[in-house]
Amino acid sequence: MTTPDPLGRHLLDIESLSSADIHALLERAVELANGATPRTIHCTMANLFFEPSTRTRVSFELAASQLGMRVINIELERSSATKGEGLEDTVATLGAMGIDCLVLRHPETGRLHRLASELHSPVRLLNAGDGQGEHPSQALLDAATLAARGLDWSSLAVAIIGDIRHSRVARSGLKLFHRLGVADLRIAGPDEMLPRDFSFDGMATCTSLEEAVHNADVIMMLRVQRERMDRAGWPEPEQYHRRWGLNETHLELARPDCLVMHPGPINRGMEINAAVADGPHSLILDQVRMGVFTRMAIFEWMLN
Ligand code: CP
């Protein structure tokens, strides 16, 4: 692993991680999942979420607790943000009180990068999702879930399907799978949900769900991010499901031992049906479980 930056190491996006960091984080997450003893970290972290969350907020809290850290959950509606305090002042205030690390989710794309570039505080920032930007810890936990199964990245066919344009999970996930050397990376979704601002060499855009899942090893379904779309653009769930919802018949087109992933929260009957979400191919709850170990690995990397 690289030497920690004395000015503070943040986790804002996948690009800023070195390849050595990525491999060390995944290896450590898998070790912790297999029962390795966690380090003890005498630090305090705070969760500050400007958007709702179940998985990310709770798993960061559990991860910190497992490492012996002190955890502060800031209730946004009872905080001085409601009195007009700016985010920079809030973070400086938390830093002055001894908060070492802030797990922050914000609806504005790029807000954490802007904050980090202007930060006059030793507080380390962990991006728990910024608008349509990035969600690096989710990408790392998804990769760790696959790494725990000992898969060879260079021979995997991974299909990511659904609302990719508005998904920070997809943006971080695609970047990470590309960095890990996934050989066959495919995306598919309605035209209005395909990305306009990025693509990679070797990333293929498929025109149907059936084409995307053909011989796929990993199928990752994404929720339609209605909170980032005009109401007029919201698809009708049953209609969406008929064209872009994953069901058991689709799995017959994929590899027999294919793995189905979803970062959650899932909308059953829309992007995925219940039989697949709860079926033998599903890794959805494995992803949630691996989220705690991956976030422990992230805290160890960032703070120890
Ligand atoms: N995957 C994810 O970010 O879930 P939450 O919104 O529940 O944190």
Side-chain angles (χ1 to χ4, degrees), residues 52-57 105 135 138 263-265:
S53 167
T54 299
R55 278 147 285 270
T56 311
R57 193 188 61 77
R105 175 172 285 186
H135 194 347
Q138 179 71 45

